[in-house]
Amino acid sequence: MTSPCYDPPIDALVRPERLAAVDRLLPGTEGTSPALQRFIDDVADLLRAPCAGVSLILTDAGVLLATHGVGGWLAEAEGMPAQWAPCATVVRHDTPLLITDTHDDPAHTTNPLVMVTGVRSYAGVPLHLDGQPVGSLCVLAGEPGMFTHADLDTLIGLAPRAVTLLHETVAG
C-alpha cells in the first residue's frame, strides 16, 4: 500500500473535472461553425499569422475545431496526437506558451509536428470551460521569431470570445 504523498501526480489531461468539461463540448464540435471560422480567420489576420487554430485537447489527441492556413495531412486528420501538440502543453500547464523557435527548444526539436510541418514559431493560450482548461487558441508560423509576448496578451484577450463561440456551437 502506498501513501498518497508518494503517488505520482495525475497528468492534468486526465483529470476527471477537465474531462467532464471537454465532454460538454464534444457533441457540438462536428464541423466548424461559420462564426468560429470567421473568428479564427480574424485572429490570423490580426496577428499576421500564416496559421491559427482553436483546438480541443482530449486525453491523447488534439482536435482542431477551426483553423486558418492549415493544410495537408494535418487538415485532413483534423488533429494530432496530444504528445505532438504544443496546445496540449498549454492545457496541461494551464498557462500561455510562447515558442520563438522550435529548433532551439529541446522539448520540440524532435517533435514530429515540427519535423514534418516545419512549425518554427508558436503562441497559444488556454481556453476554459467551467474553470477547466479544455483547449487552446493559437497561432503558428514556419519562420522563427514570428510571435511576441504582446501577441500572447492579444490571444489572452481574445480567448473569452473563442469560448463563447464554442458554447454557441454546442448550443446550436
Side-chain angles (χ1 to χ4, degrees), residues 52-159:
V54 171
S55 67
L56 184 64
I57 303 298
L58 310 178
T59 57
D60 60 352
V63 178
L64 300 172
L65 301 179
T67 64
H68 172 93
V70 174
W73 68 269
L74 191 54
E76 190 175 311
E78 297 180 344
M80 70 200 79
Q83 67 265 27
W84 297 7
C87 294
T89 301
V90 169
V91 170
R92 182 175 276 119
H93 298 287
D94 195 13
T95 189
L97 175 64
L98 177 66
I99 304 171
T100 56
D101 191 348
T102 57
H103 290 189
D104 293 337
D105 185 335
H108 293 94
T109 55
T110 60
N111 180 334
L113 179 69
V114 170
M115 294 168 55
V116 173
T117 65
V119 170
R120 296 284 299 269
S121 299
Y122 173 91
V125 299
L127 300 176
H128 293 93
L129 180 64
D130 300 331
Q132 298 296 318
V134 295
S136 175
L137 172 61
C138 69
V139 289
L140 306 98
E143 299 295 322
M146 287 288 296
F147 307 114
T148 66
H149 289 283
D151 294 324
L152 275 182
D153 290 341
T154 299
L155 290 171
I156 289 167
L158 293 169

Side-chain angles (χ1 to χ4, degrees), residues 9-87:
I10 190 166
D11 183 335
L13 295 186
V14 298
R15 280 193 351 263
E17 313 83 42
R18 194 192 81 77
L19 293 175
V22 168
D23 188 56
R24 282 189 280 290
L25 290 175
L26 288 175
T29 55
E30 293 181 21
T32 302
S33 79
L36 186 59
Q37 186 60 56
R38 280 190 303 276
F39 170 77
I40 205 63
D41 290 339
D42 290 345
V43 168
D45 289 343
L46 179 65
L47 296 177
R48 309 151 328 277
C51 299
V54 171
S55 67
L56 184 64
I57 303 298
L58 310 178
T59 57
D60 60 352
V63 178
L64 300 172
L65 301 179
T67 64
H68 172 93
V70 174
W73 68 269
L74 191 54
E76 190 175 311
E78 297 180 344
M80 70 200 79
Q83 67 265 27
W84 297 7
C87 294

